[in-house]
Amino acid sequence: MTTTHDDSPLVSVTGLQESLDSGRPPVLLDVRWQLGGPPGIEDYTAGHLPGARFVALDTDLAAPAGPPGRGGRHPLPDPEEFGAALRRLGVSADRPVVVYDGATSLAAARAWWLLRWAGHPDVRVLDGGFAAWQEAGLPVTTEVPPAGDGDFKPVPGQLPVVDADGAAAWARDALLLDARAGERYRGETEPIDPRAGHIPGAVSAPTTENVGPDGRFRPAAELAARFRELGAGERGTAVYCGSGVTAAHQILALAVAGLPATLYPGSWSEWSSDEARPVAVTDQPG
């Protein structure tokens, strides 16, 4: 569905095959995860891309959940601990990395964003994930590779972030996108966080609409048109979701469209747990 190119944050199954057969194959990271489980390690154990190592999103790609109003459910990981985990996974500064999840890249995007935030220069997401690999009839394995001996040392801050006050300013002065499902934005339901609704001024932009039924990203031109219709452009764009996972997917889609964006890592889980923060429950940004 999506044709990838050299500077795209995505890689197709064919492109990954070619990279794996080259003299400089990428490190493969399996980031299968979904909110509420079951644990992604079960899917990994049942079968994964040859050579891939499993990444636990809740522990490898996040610090422990913060107290109410601070950090949210998936705070950014401690750089030292994150670096140690990446080195065990075989990540090195001079070797490309490809991350994948089950199909939609919702979880893989968190790994992509964190690696880029930490300063890794060459990270891509397998478009369509494990499902696309299987659909192509390519081999999978249950063999678990030994721990890696990577040398990557994070230099955090290479991608922009904002805190709650910053998110409020983006909503007021520029564009703040809410990547959650529309019913959560509208306050019709809230399955996990303390309060329902959205940050006043934020615009609803469910990130699931960035991919097709097969889990692959829509073409770059379609994504660019979607985001510009939502108001992306000269004012700049920031994104939040429930806890900074699907917001990373939105930022990945924006990157495919050639549009930069800023992440609010604490997202709704942080905002809604702070009683001093206002909440909007309409179907409009206000």
Side-chain angles (χ1 to χ4, degrees):
M1 181 172 179
T2 299
T3 301
T4 57
H5 48 83
D6 287 347
D7 59 351
S8 173
L10 303 177
V11 62
S12 66
V13 167
T14 300
L16 177 57
Q17 280 184 287
E18 293 172 355
S19 296
L20 291 172
D21 291 338
S22 72
R24 190 169 173 257
V27 173
L28 293 178
L29 302 182
D30 184 310
V31 199
R32 279 180 278 180
W33 172 92
Q34 55 184 316
L35 184 64
I41 187 65
E42 296 178 2
D43 289 334
Y44 174 82
T45 301
H48 51 267
L49 272 64
R53 296 184 176 92
F54 179 72
V55 181
L57 186 145
D58 288 322
T59 53
D60 293 329
L61 303 181
R70 291 181 56 195
R73 279 196 313 279
H74 290 110
L76 300 185
D78 174 82
E80 291 298 322
E81 294 180 7
F82 183 48
L86 291 175
R87 291 189 289 276
R88 288 194 302 272
L89 293 165
V91 176
S92 293
D94 62 350
R95 188 175 172 190
V97 178
V98 170
V99 296
Y100 70 89
D101 58 24
T104 62
S105 302
L106 285 171
R110 170 76 174 202
W112 167 82
W113 186 92
L114 278 171
L115 279 156
R116 299 290 292 116
W117 168 80
H120 198 287
D122 192 349
V123 189
R124 298 190 191 190
V125 174
L126 175 60
D127 197 20
F130 186 72
W133 185 266
Q134 282 191 304
E135 182 184 333
L138 295 168
V140 299
T141 184
T142 58
E143 182 178 346
V144 178
D149 58 351
D151 63 15
F152 181 69
K153 295 182 179 179
V155 182
Q158 306 306 304
L159 291 181
V161 299
V162 294
D163 59 9
D165 288 338
W170 277 89
R172 182 180 64 248
D173 302 328
L175 177 66
L176 178 65
L177 296 180
D178 185 320
R180 299 172 302 158
E183 58 268 24
R184 291 184 72 189
Y185 171 87
R186 294 187 295 271
E188 297 168 2
T189 183
E190 182 44 66
I192 191 166
D193 291 318
R195 292 186 288 166
H198 61 267
I199 296 174
V203 174
S204 180
T207 197
T208 51
E209 296 179 13
N210 295 323
V211 297
D214 59 0
R216 292 178 173 88
F217 279 85
R218 292 162 58 183
E222 286 186 17
L223 291 172
R226 180 193 187 213
F227 290 123
R228 294 197 185 282
E229 186 174 335
L230 290 167
E234 292 181 2
R235 295 182 302 163
T237 305
V239 187
Y240 77 97
C241 58
S243 65
V245 175
T246 56
H249 187 267
Q250 190 89 286
I251 291 174
L252 175 59
L254 282 154
V256 172
L259 297 167
T262 296
L263 176 69
Y264 171 28
S267 284
W268 188 245
S269 56
E270 177 182 71
W271 184 282
S272 64
S273 65
D274 183 347
E275 292 291 338
R277 298 283 176 189
V279 168
V281 292
T282 67
D283 61 355
Q284 298 297 322

